[in-house]
Amino acid sequence: MKILILNGPNLNLLGRREKSIYGSRSFEDYLEKDLIPAFPDLKLEYYQSNIEGALIDKLHEVGFTYQGIVFNAGAYTHSSLALADAIAAIETPVVEVHISNVFAREATRHITYIGGRCKGSISGFGLESYRLALQYFERQKPNKVGFTYTKA
């Protein structure tokens, strides 16, 4: 199963920014040392961009051929109708993830424009939010994801 892990703005600074919220580990380290070994049956691809249009392009690129997308849109979660529309336009199911519990933070972060277009949302478990999303995809039967998947 091909799964894209897609990270949005400022997530390239994980391990260096606001460590009290996001921890002291880079995403690349977590991916290489934890996620890839934990999911040998999944073909994981990783992409990060600070640019909204590049994230949309990536969703379009893989959204009809991959079996799942794990997406942390960062602050775009709370502001981007364009990303919500891109998720609605593709067939591949998307799971929204957040490292922090967005509902325990400032009120503007309680709004998610993409959440309603996703299969589900996971937040507040640190980097382990990604592992939980991958476990969801791993447990799905291949005929329940990808082209035969029906969005809610």
Side-chain angles (χ1 to χ4, degrees):
M1 290 177 60
K2 289 166 69 172
I3 306 292
L4 173 66
I5 299 172
L6 184 60
N7 274 345
N10 300 309
L11 292 165
N12 57 305
L13 296 178
L14 287 177
R16 297 186 291 170
R17 72 178 272 229
E18 299 173 281
K19 292 178 184 180
S20 63
I21 297 172
Y22 300 106
S24 58
R25 195 166 182 197
S26 73
F27 188 80
E28 291 80 359
D29 180 66
Y30 178 65
L31 177 66
E32 293 296 323
K33 293 180 181 170
D34 290 55
L35 294 181
I36 291 172
F39 297 95
D41 294 333
L42 300 180
K43 183 178 180 198
L44 301 178
E45 179 182 323
Y46 175 59
Y47 182 81
Q48 186 279 328
S49 180
N50 294 316
I51 302 168
E52 183 179 29
L55 297 169
I56 292 167
D57 288 343
K58 194 65 167 177
L59 288 166
H60 291 176
E61 177 187 325
V62 305
F64 296 91
T65 56
Y66 282 42
Q67 286 70 46
I69 299 169
V70 175
F71 189 19
N72 185 340
Y76 287 140
T77 299
H78 321 292
S79 65
S80 180
L81 293 173
L83 283 171
D85 288 347
I87 293 167
I90 62 175
E91 294 178 356
T92 300
V94 177
V95 173
E96 174 188 26
V97 300
H98 297 284
I99 295 167
S100 68
N101 180 352
V102 294
F103 300 104
R105 297 183 66 190
E106 57 270 35
T108 55
R109 294 186 192 272
H110 299 179
I111 298 165
T112 171
Y113 285 101
I114 69 168
R117 307 297 179 129
C118 294
K119 178 69 178 164
S121 298
I122 301 167
S123 76
F125 295 99
L127 290 174
E128 290 297 297
S129 294
Y130 293 90
R131 182 188 303 269
L132 293 169
L134 290 171
Q135 286 174 340
Y136 165 76
F137 285 119
E138 182 181 53
R139 291 181 176 151
Q140 299 306 299
K141 304 252 186 265
N143 64 353
K144 289 190 177 181
V145 294
F147 290 112
T148 59
Y149 171 79
T150 304
K151 286 195 173 202

